[in-house]
Structures are given as C-alpha cells and as structure tokens.
Amino acid sequence: MGVEAGAQAARARALAVLRIRSRALAVALLPAAVAVVLLAGAAGDRLEGPVWDTARWVLTPFAVLVLLAAAGIALVVARARPAMSPTVPVTEDAAPDLYRMVRDLADRLDVPAPSAIALTPDCDSWLEDRTHPAHGPPPAEEHHDIAGAGRQAHRRHPVAPVLVIGSPFLWWMRVGELRAVLAPVIAGTGPSAHPDIAAARRFVRGLDAAVAVASEPRREPVSRAVLAGVGWVARLLLRSCRVHAAEMERGVAAAAAERAQAVDYGLRIVAQEQVGLAYAGWDRLLTRVALPAWRMGRWPSRLDAGVVAALTELSRRDRLAEGFASRLGERPACDLLEEPGTVDEAASLLAARLFHGGPAGSGPDWSPVDWSEYPDEVVDRKWRLDAARLHRVLDTMGVRPASGPAAAATGAPTLSRVLDHLADPGTARTAGTTPAGSPAGPAASGPDTAASERETAVAGPDTAAPARTPGAPDPLDDEDLSGTTAPSATLAARLSAELAREEAAPSPETPSPASPPPASDAAALWDDRALPLFPLQPPRTARELLADHLTAMVCCAAMDTAGATPGLDWLDGPTLLIDGERTADLAPKVLTLIEDGDATPLRVWLSQLGIRPEKPVRLG
C-alpha cells in the first residue's frame, strides 16, 4: 500500500465514521422534523381531524424530549475530557536540538511538525492529539507556520499532535538511530492534518470519553440514570464505528510508514534492533532493580541512565549488540537535551507512579536514591527487613532458637535457627503423598503429622484464613504450596499472611503502593486514584516469598560473619558480593531446602565461603 493508497483508505474510513455521526444526528432530528410537518399542516388547514390532532399532541412532546436528550448526549460527548497519556513535557528551551531534529524530519517528510514533544517512561513512541480544551491551550509558538512544515506551512491546519518519545530511547540510542525510529511516527502528522480524519478521530475520542464519564460511580440516582442512558448511546455508536476507526488508523499508519521509507532506510533496520534490545533491558531494570526499591519506599532517580548500564551488561554477557564499542563512540540521543539529569529524574518518578503507584513527589517515606547508594540504601535494608520478618514469624510459631554446642547462648537471631526448622528429611512433600501416621520430623513444631501441618499451612496462622488484600500474595494457593515440605509450606503461608497484614496497614517501612498521593500534580490530567496504571507483575506467591526471605537471611549472615557486601546487578537486581565477586549459585540450594528439606547443599556452600550460620545477625 503506497502513500496515496493508504491516505485514501484512511479518508474513506473517516468518511464512514462521519456518516455514522450524521445518521445518529438524523435519527435525533427525525421526530422533530415530523412534528414540524404536522404543525405546519395544522397552520395551513391541511392536516386536520382527530387523528392528526392526536399525532401532533403525542409526537410534539416526544420530539422535544428526543431533542433534549440528543443535546445532552452531544454536550457530554463534546465536554468529556479524552484520556491523555501521563508524560513528562519537554519544552523547546529544554531541548532545542531535539526540536530542531524533529522539524528537520518533518521538512524532509513534507508533513506538519508536531506541536510539542513529551517523554514517556516506556519503550514506545506515538503521536497524541491534545487539542481538547481540557488539555489546555496550544503552545504559544504554534502558528501553523513552523519552520520545516514544508509546502503545507501556508495552509490552515488543525493544531498538530504532540510527539511522545520513549525516554529509554533517548539514553540508549544514538542520534541517528533515534532519528530513524521517529521518522515513521512523525510522518503520521500528514494524514492527521486531513480535516475528515481529524473530525473522525475527535468523534471517536469524544464517545470514548463519554463512556468513561458514564462509568464513574455516583450516588445520586437521577444522575446515575441519566448517565446510564448517555453511556448506552455512546457504546452503541462506538460499536458502530469500531471497524471503520480501526481501518482508518491502519491506513494512516501505512501511509506514514510508506512516506518514511525514503528517510534513513538502512539505519532504520539497525535502529529497530536497538528498539528490541532497549525493551528487554528496560523490562529487566524495572522488574528486578527498580521494583525492590519501590517496595522499600525509595525510587531510583536515574532509571534511564540505569538502562544504559543494564543494556551494556546485557550486550557484554549475551553479545546481542554487534559493534557495540564503535556504536558507543557516536553521539547519544540524550545529548539533545539541555539537562538530561533533570529530565531523567522526572521520567523516573513518573515510572514509579505508573508501574508501582507511588506519590507525586518526594517525602520522608518516598525519597529518591542514587545508583551509588542503592546497595546500602535498598539492598542491605531490604535483606535485613526480610530477615526480621522471617524471625518475627518464627517467634509467633513458637520455633525455638537453634540448639547445639555452637549455637548462640543469647537467643539472638541466627541462620541456624531457620535451617534447623526447615531441614526435615523425614517429611514428604505436601502433595498428599505422606503416609498416614508418619511422623512430621524433628523440625516440625509439635507432634502433628505432615497432613495436619499442611492443613495449618493452608488455613493460615490463626485457623481462619486471613482476608485477601489487593496486591498481596494469596496464602491459600494449594498448587503453589504443593511440592514443598510441611515446615516450608507452613512458614510460607504465615509469611504471606504477615506481609498481607503489613500491606493492609502500611507503616513508614512498607508504604502501600495503592495509597493516594498526598498532593495532585496540577499538570497531570489523568486519574491518580487508578494508580498503578500498569502493574509490573502479579503478586509474589507464598513459595517465592519464602525463598526471598531465606535468601535475605543467608545474605545477612554472609555480611555479618564473612565480610560480604550488598551489590547491584543491572540485570538481576540485588546481589551478594564476596571478595568483590557476585555469588550466582545460591538460589538452587535455597530451593533444595524449601522443596526437599535438605540443608546439606546450603550448609556446604556456607562452609566453603566461611559463613557462620550459628552467629547472630543484625536485623533491620
């Protein structure tokens, strides 16, 4: 599909959408037209008689009601605020080189330049129409005669859409690569300027916004009933427009892609490879590095700079980026910004809000953290808080301190206490395979059998199952707890319930991600109550929680007895460093203890590294 063919297809579909709008208007006006004819006939002494009089008396009020309803629906559609993506605005003063590059691209593509530029903390780029009055006035410099608008600069056009750029692209890509990636996006301003396409888009966005308004919860029965009718009509029209609107957007995308073929075609192939690499590194940085910090009430203030480090490590490990050294010699796209650090910090805070639900600004329980401070401020603190929670749960279960001649006489928390409790080679896995009447093993708390121990694991610590909390793990997951020993299942379920209680009643140590921000951002036109908009991952399972807490306890013992230090791995998140080297073989030994009750591999590993499990550790 060529440029002209794609544009013609888009315009044809836009006209189809507008015809649906015209038909809806005609249906609303039809009763009024008939009533006018009847009234005119009566005035001209033509339509007389009881039948015509009855028709006039019935149809005239009905026509008035239909007109009032149509006017109300049209008013809601016109005034409803269309959804706007949360972004970080970038003014021309803050990025003159970036604006210059975008306008040069628009000039080469012979399309109107975007009216403004904004950044999003994601690996994507798009054009967004923000011409609705609720989105604020258009930029002062927008006069439809921007330098670089080509031959169309002297015509009258609607305000051009805003160019939204994924912030990781600016830090990872080189200038030429960013230019090649943005070419097909900017080319979309051409079809967007067509009056029919712009009108069709406004109509569809208005219907979508009206549906959102009608879906908002309200207490007043009258407003609920009225808006329910508005929502029904808007959904009906949306269903009628859906196919045409989707095909219209496909035509616009096809026309834009075809137009951009002439701009940096060879470089665009390489740039698309970097897009995939950036997405992989960004996803791992968020889920494995940023998420632990967010859960601690800290937000990394240089996420985009971190993605460069993560992708550099990924390229070094997996050799995904050929010619990486020579590529780093080229100018990075973030040089197009006057103050990259300030922009990075704003994008990092927005990422924390979108993916985790943090407040809009810094505070005592929600403060930024630099990468150099991450190991001490996040990793060490996380491990010690997890270890403290683990021993707190063991205390409520009545688990005694570790026994034996090497155990600490003070009763201080030790790793040996945890190992002795979980090490139970005589207990079968909790999959219903334990023979009836077989002993639960010396590490089990009390004389109960393995079956009763598993029942406790499923029921929770207080016989009655704890209430589920949004975002908290589910301690009643039989499938998740199957395949573990009875002591592991019990401890996992009680840890899950303890964490659920903490999240239900947040403390300064564990701020709730769903709590509303203390102050709303005046520039934000999106609903803060719906945060997080894009949760990164499902809640952690009870098995994962136990593995995390046991790993944290091992790391605390290593730091306090063997001189290990907390570290940051750009791809895997918190890591333990012994003699400056990352330990990568701890996870399988932890799983062996949880699933089989066999502590021998972990004890051997501790002995080889000089870690003393019987020594007390400092908890958070």
Side-chain angles (χ1 to χ4, degrees), residues 419-420 422-424 589 592-593 596-604:
L419 298 182
D420 290 348
L422 294 178
D424 188 6
K589 299 169 178 59
T592 299
L593 176 59
D596 301 329
D598 184 6
T600 302
L602 182 55
R603 290 187 185 275
V604 171

Side-chain angles (χ1 to χ4, degrees), residues 33-62:
V34 175
V36 168
V37 171
L38 292 176
L39 293 174
D45 298 330
R46 293 181 179 273
L47 302 178
E48 296 180 345
V51 175
W52 294 109
D53 292 339
T54 303
R56 275 189 288 270
W57 280 105
V58 172
L59 193 58
T60 301
F62 176 73

Side-chain angles (χ1 to χ4, degrees), residues 239-252:
R239 285 194 295 270
S240 303
C241 298
R242 182 176 299 150
V243 175
H244 296 301
E247 292 299 326
M248 176 184 69
E249 297 301 337
R250 287 193 187 96
V252 170

Side-chain angles (χ1 to χ4, degrees), residues 347-447:
S348 300
L349 179 57
L350 180 57
R353 303 195 67 200
L354 294 180
F355 299 117
H356 185 67
S362 299
D365 302 329
W366 185 246
S367 57
V369 59
D370 193 71
W371 290 126
S372 60
E373 303 170 350
Y374 187 93
D376 293 330
E377 295 293 328
V378 176
V379 180
D380 182 89
R381 184 169 163 231
K382 174 186 183 300
W383 285 342
R384 297 195 186 277
L385 287 175
D386 285 352
R389 185 183 297 110
L390 177 62
H391 280 277
R392 190 163 60 248
V393 171
L394 291 176
D395 291 339
T396 62
M397 294 171 61
V399 177
R400 296 184 299 271
S403 59
T410 61
T414 65
L415 176 59
S416 293
R417 181 194 189 192
V418 184
L419 298 182
D420 290 348
H421 178 68
L422 294 178
D424 188 6
T427 302
R429 298 187 180 195
T430 59
T433 58
T434 304
S438 61
S445 56

Side-chain angles (χ1 to χ4, degrees), residues 383-384 387 413-416 550-564 576 606 610-619:
W383 285 342
R384 297 195 186 277
T414 65
L415 176 59
S416 293
L550 181 55
T551 300
M553 187 64 204
V554 172
C555 293
C556 290
M559 292 188 294
D560 292 348
T561 68
L576 182 67
L606 296 172
I611 301 173
R612 304 284 299 276
E614 75 281 2
K615 293 291 185 180
V617 298
R618 178 174 59 86
L619 302 181

Side-chain angles (χ1 to χ4, degrees), residues 464-543:
R468 291 194 61 184
T469 303
D474 182 6
L476 307 180
D477 190 350
D478 265 338
E479 184 178 353
D480 171 53
L481 295 177
S482 65
T484 62
T485 63
S488 295
T490 304
L491 184 56
R494 299 201 180 204
L495 277 172
S496 179
E498 175 68 15
L499 189 61
R501 280 192 291 267
E502 291 179 5
E503 292 182 349
S507 66
E509 295 294 339
T510 55
S512 171
S515 59
S520 61
D521 186 358
L525 293 175
W526 41 285
D527 192 356
D528 287 344
R529 297 170 296 178
L531 294 175
L533 298 181
F534 311 107
L536 285 181
Q537 62 185 23
R540 290 170 292 179
T541 64
R543 182 199 296 259

Side-chain angles (χ1 to χ4, degrees), residues 73 78 90 101 121 181 219 252 275 328 368 388 418 447 463 489 517 583 609 620:
I73 294 173
V90 179
M101 184 192 75
V181 167
R219 296 183 180 180
V252 170
V275 169
L328 287 183
V418 184
T463 304
T583 57
L609 296 176

Side-chain angles (χ1 to χ4, degrees), residues 5 11 35 58 146 160 164 205 256 262 294 330 361 400 486 540 546 580:
R11 292 168 188 169
V58 172
I146 299 176
V164 181
R205 283 197 304 271
W294 293 339
E330 302 174 11
R400 296 184 299 271
R540 290 170 292 179
L546 178 58

